[in-house]
Amino acid sequence: MSDPVDGPDVTAIWYGLVVDITKSIGEFPSTVPNCRAYDPCFAGEFAVILDHGMRAMLERQEDVFYYVTLMNENYAQPSLPAGVEGDIIKGLYRFGTHQPQSKTGERVRLLGSGTILREVIAAAELLATEWNVEAEVWSATSFAELDREAREAERWSRLHPAEPARTSHIAQCLAGSDPVIAASDYVRAWPQLAGTHIEAPLTVLGTDGFG
């Protein structure tokens, strides 16, 4: 067990669980094969990831370590929807849906990773109330895990051409042609990594050019 690192930019390490509250290098751990990188927004998401990670490393003795990025902002922590624990670990779950008063048939899926999910929720409310657009809100707890699992599904399908192709988690969640908009505190290439595995039109908003 390593002692937490002191200083204004804090990265703490406990039993293979790396908790970064600087949000400075969130993308890079995902390039390490046995690193499981997560970017949760809410405490409930973090609790699920912490429990899963500790069981994987300490109970099942898996050769992995977990990199979790957290922020030190103060905001309300809502309860999680029922039964989403498995999807949190896979990297994507539906947080909620905002229905307009007058249905126009227009529908969009909004993705947010980390604390920017709060802005995604606000955008969904605005779309529903001001523009009569139905907006689903999805929390992307790990674009890295979404991409990893999708590539594994593609590889399995390629090696087993006589079997029905496997569908990745992100493809199942975001099936259909309704547009998808993903917002990230990182550069746009980060969400696009997982976005290549869906057929719906994808627009990514990132922090390219800032910081």
Side-chain angles (χ1 to χ4, degrees):
M1 175 177 181
S2 300
D3 293 330
V5 179
D6 296 325
D9 294 333
V10 180
T11 300
I13 306 175
W14 293 283
Y15 294 109
L17 175 73
V18 184
V19 180
D20 175 23
I21 64 171
T22 67
K23 212 169 183 70
S24 56
I25 54 172
E27 308 99 310
F28 301 115
S30 66
T31 61
V32 181
N34 65 333
C35 175
R36 303 295 179 256
Y38 286 90
D39 189 17
C41 176
F42 299 122
E45 298 172 349
F46 177 57
V48 172
I49 295 165
L50 179 63
D51 178 77
H52 179 82
M54 288 303 184
R55 291 180 186 278
M57 293 182 292
L58 302 180
E59 183 177 306
R60 298 191 295 272
Q61 293 292 302
E62 296 178 10
D63 184 20
V64 295
F65 69 98
Y66 283 65
Y67 190 104
V68 184
T69 303
L70 303 176
M71 292 294 282
N72 56 358
E73 299 178 29
N74 293 321
Y75 52 88
Q77 302 292 324
S79 299
L80 295 176
V84 299
E85 292 80 6
D87 289 347
I88 289 174
I89 299 304
K90 292 178 181 178
L92 184 68
Y93 75 95
R94 184 165 60 184
F95 179 78
T97 302
H98 292 265
Q99 299 281 357
Q101 290 186 347
S102 302
K103 295 213 171 185
T104 61
E106 301 294 334
R107 181 170 172 264
V108 66
R109 281 83 62 84
L110 306 180
L111 275 63
S113 180
T115 55
I116 208 167
L117 177 65
R118 296 165 60 236
E119 305 304 323
V120 171
I121 296 171
E125 294 174 350
L126 187 64
L127 285 169
T129 57
E130 299 292 334
W131 298 92
N132 289 324
V133 175
E134 179 184 343
E136 286 185 354
V137 175
W138 293 79
S139 177
T141 53
S142 179
F143 287 116
E145 289 304 297
L146 289 173
D147 178 62
R148 187 195 314 276
E149 190 264 351
R151 286 188 285 106
E152 289 176 354
E154 291 176 354
R155 183 176 185 274
W156 187 95
S157 299
R158 187 168 57 250
L159 295 177
H160 301 81
E163 301 290 336
R166 288 184 176 176
T167 303
S168 65
H169 178 66
I170 188 173
Q172 290 176 350
C173 291
L174 303 177
S177 59
D178 293 321
V180 177
I181 302 174
S184 171
D185 283 323
Y186 303 121
V187 296
R188 289 178 296 172
W190 183 228
Q192 286 172 340
L193 186 70
T196 58
H197 305 292
I198 64 174
E199 297 181 358
L202 173 68
T203 300
V204 177
L205 307 176
T207 56
D208 303 63
F210 295 93

